[in-house]
Structure formats: C-alpha cells, structure tokens
Amino acid sequence: MTSPVLEAHARRSAVLLVGMSIAEAVRRDELLRTAASHRASIAFLQQADPSLSAELTRLADAGAETVVVIGVRLAASGPAHSWLRRIAAYWWRERAGHRPELLVATRLADSPDAVAAVAAATKAVTGGEPGLTSAAWEDVPGHRHQVLVCRGPRCAAKGAEEGLRALVRMLAEQGLGDDDVLVTQTGCQFPCNQAPVVSVQPDDVWYGKVDPAVADRIVTEHLAGGRPVESNRLARRKNGHAGDVEPHDRP
C-alpha cells in the first residue's frame, strides 16, 4: 500500500526511485515493481538507463513541479548517499528552462519495504551542494592492482555480491587500501559459465567460481603475496587463438 506521504507527493509531484549501485541494475525488475507500487518512475545513478539526469529531464519536460528523489541500495556496497544529492544538484544547476523543486530523501532505502518510511524525510536541493570535481579526483590513482568484479546477470545470480563482500573485508584486514588495490564492479566479462568471475589487472589473471573463500585467497595469496590462486585461475586465450594460451595457464 502506498504511504500517505507518497500519495500526497503524487498529487502534486513526481516520485523517482534511483538505483544507487550495479546491484539495482541487475535487479531492475524488482525496482520496477517497487516503483509501480508507489506510482513512481525509476532511474539509475550508474551502469544502467535511464540515468538520474535523463529521468529528471523527462519529468521536468513533462511539467512536474516537484520531484521527490529516493535512493535505493539493495546491496551492501555502492556509492554513498551524498552522491545522490551531488548528481541531482548538478542537474538542477545545469538545467535550462523549467526546473522543478527537487526533494531528496535524507537516507537510502535498503529494501523495497523501506521506501515509504524513507520518503517521509526529505531535504530540498538548493544548488549550493558540492560539484562533480575535486582536487582529490584529478589524477589517475597509483594503485598496484585493479580487481574487476563481474556483476553481470549470471555472476550476480551465482553469488558475486557475497564474493565482493569477502574481498573488501579481507583487503581491509590486510591493510590494502585504494592506493594498493582498486576494486571496480563491472558488467559481463564473458566467461559466464565460470561465474562468479573476477579478473586482476595488470597481471592479466582471471578467476572463476569466486566464492567468499576464494575471494579471501585472492587477497592473501595474490594481491598481498604475489602468487595467483591456481585452483581457480582461468586459461587466457589471447585474440581468440587456442595457440596463444599463456605458459602458466591451466589447460
């Protein structure tokens, strides 16, 4: 049932649910069902369409006077709530023509059932929020390794989130920060039969069947110890030629 707060919003405004992370992109159908129950539309902060900016433009062009923006994060990881306000404010400042009032929920909904309660507390965008640039984001980071965690549909279905949590936890336990290892969530990396898939660059090492236990070993043995985890390493055939298998790859 739609909450009284959301019903009041709906009579004079639009309600927009924003998926904060790749997890919501993967679970798009669930987000759509939640939005339908609240007479809302959806957008995504990253890695899926429509983007937050594109949906705000559509709603503004349709004549919405107020847009209530509610961030939804259904996974343990993802951008902080501050990014929701930052992106919404950037759109508001750059918007030419009619600009609706933007009311951003003051916290994220961590489940479909939490949306109505989260909508009860909002704060208007003023245009004075931080922009999209910062001196801290000027240079390419100096990390030694970049770990690419596949969050495509098969990897997500087979437990990529649990492996990611273990990876992040073990990196913290080993004292490895972003200057050492940059963890990036990606779309499909293609060897889907080996899901969940993780690759480590610039070492050009690919792993399959990465559950929490394997994720722990990738951190302790490979990222901290310098030795790839051979039990879950995938053969790497460059340029699609079977003859190009690296000597250290398993057949």
Side-chain angles (χ1 to χ4, degrees):
M1 180 179 296
T2 305
S3 74
V5 172
L6 286 175
E7 287 181 347
H9 285 319
R11 286 194 293 269
R12 62 186 180 88
S13 66
V15 178
L16 176 58
L17 304 187
V18 182
M20 296 291 291
S21 71
I22 194 171
E24 292 75 53
V26 171
R27 297 164 66 177
R28 184 190 191 96
D29 289 346
E30 184 176 355
L31 191 63
L32 279 169
R33 288 193 297 271
T34 302
S37 70
H38 295 296
R39 301 176 185 173
S41 61
I42 68 169
F44 297 90
L45 203 65
Q46 57 180 333
Q47 297 175 305
D49 293 321
S51 68
L52 173 55
S53 294
E55 184 60 9
L56 287 174
T57 296
R58 186 189 73 80
L59 293 171
D61 288 346
E65 292 298 327
T66 303
V67 179
V68 181
V69 181
I70 304 168
V72 180
R73 189 169 64 198
L74 303 177
S77 59
H81 174 270
S82 60
W83 277 105
L84 185 63
R85 289 192 62 82
R86 190 186 289 264
I87 300 300
Y90 174 79
W91 175 87
W92 194 84
R93 287 193 297 267
E94 296 294 313
R95 167 72 176 176
H98 168 61
R99 291 190 304 182
E101 179 184 28
L102 296 186
L103 301 177
V104 180
T106 56
R107 61 187 178 93
L108 301 178
D110 58 8
S111 72
D113 293 339
V115 168
V118 167
T122 62
K123 183 178 179 181
V125 165
T126 65
E129 290 81 2
L132 300 188
T133 60
S134 165
W137 306 328
E138 183 69 22
D139 300 322
V140 175
H143 55 275
R144 292 181 292 108
H145 290 101
Q146 185 166 15
V147 178
L148 306 178
V149 180
C150 181
R151 297 298 304 275
R154 296 171 185 83
C155 288
K158 291 193 172 184
E161 174 69 18
E162 289 76 13
L164 174 64
R165 290 180 187 177
L167 185 77
V168 172
R169 183 190 66 248
M170 185 56 69
L171 285 170
E173 290 182 8
Q174 292 288 320
L176 298 175
D178 289 346
D179 289 339
D180 304 297
V181 179
L182 182 63
V183 179
T184 304
Q185 300 179 60
T186 75
C188 181
Q189 294 187 39
F190 288 104
C192 305
N193 291 344
Q194 309 297 334
V197 172
V198 169
S199 57
V200 179
Q201 302 299 341
D203 296 356
D204 198 18
V205 173
W206 293 59
Y207 293 109
K209 306 291 193 287
V210 180
D211 60 16
V214 174
D216 285 354
R217 292 185 61 196
I218 290 172
V219 174
T220 57
E221 297 178 26
H222 185 171
L223 301 174
R227 302 181 307 278
V229 180
E230 295 298 336
S231 61
N232 290 76
R233 190 172 183 181
L234 303 177
R236 174 82 159 95
R237 291 171 171 79
K238 295 184 178 180
N239 300 320
H241 300 299
D244 288 339
V245 178
E246 295 291 333
H248 51 253
D249 282 335
R250 296 183 294 117

